[in-house]
Amino acid sequence: MMNDSTNQKERQWTYIVFFLIGILSLPLGLIFGRLLANNIEGMWQLVFPLFICSILFVIAMYAFKVQSAAFALKALAISFGFLFLIYVSWFMWSANEHESGAISITKFDTPQGEYSELTAGELKGYPALEKALSGEGCTKINENSWYCKVDLDELKRTSDFVNKKKLMGAPLFKINEKYYEIGFMTP
C-alpha cells in the first residue's frame, strides 16, 4: 500500500515537472532566440521555444527514467499543450497592443522642395495632427523629428486628410512659416 502512494506522488511530481517544462519553454526560447538570432521575426520566433521544450522534455524523460510510451505521450501532450496555451494567450495579448499607429513629423526651417499649405483652421478638425505637429506628448527622435502614437481610427482619418492635401505627392507642408514632413506608421 505504501508503494502505491509513493508511486502516485512520484507520478504527480513528474507531471508537474513536465507542466513546468511547457511553461518555462516560452520565456527561455524567446530569450535565447533573441540572443542568438536578432533578425528572426514572426512565426520563426516560435521555433526556439519549441526547440527548448523538446530539449527539456528529453532531459526530463532521461532524468525520470521513463520507459513507458503511454506516459511519454501523456507528458509530451502536457508539455506542448501548455506551451500552446501560453502561445495563444501571448498572441491574443500582443494583438491588443497593436491597435494604434503613429504620426511621424520632421520639421524644416526652409522648404525642401514643393510643399502644400495647411492653415490653423484646417488643423482644428484634426486634433491628433495638431498634437503631433506641436510635439506635445510625442517621442522625440532628435531636435527636429518625432512621432506620436495615435488611435487607428484617428490615424486613418488624419491620413486621408493629409493625402488629399498633398501637392503632387510632395510630403512637405507649410504651417505658420515652418515646413513639416508628415508620415504615418501603421502596425
Side-chain angles (χ1 to χ4, degrees), residues 45-81:
Q45 287 178 334
L46 303 179
V47 171
F48 282 95
L50 288 174
F51 181 68
I52 295 292
C53 186
S54 300
I55 289 172
L56 292 175
F57 178 78
V58 169
I59 291 170
M61 292 288 289
Y62 181 76
F64 286 103
K65 296 177 178 76
V66 176
Q67 295 175 354
S68 166
F71 178 79
L73 290 174
K74 284 180 192 176
L76 181 66
I78 289 170
S79 293
F80 281 109

Side-chain angles (χ1 to χ4, degrees), residues 8 17 37 43 62 70 93 99 127:
Q8 188 71 14
V17 167
M43 291 299 290
Y62 181 76
W93 173 78
E99 291 185 5

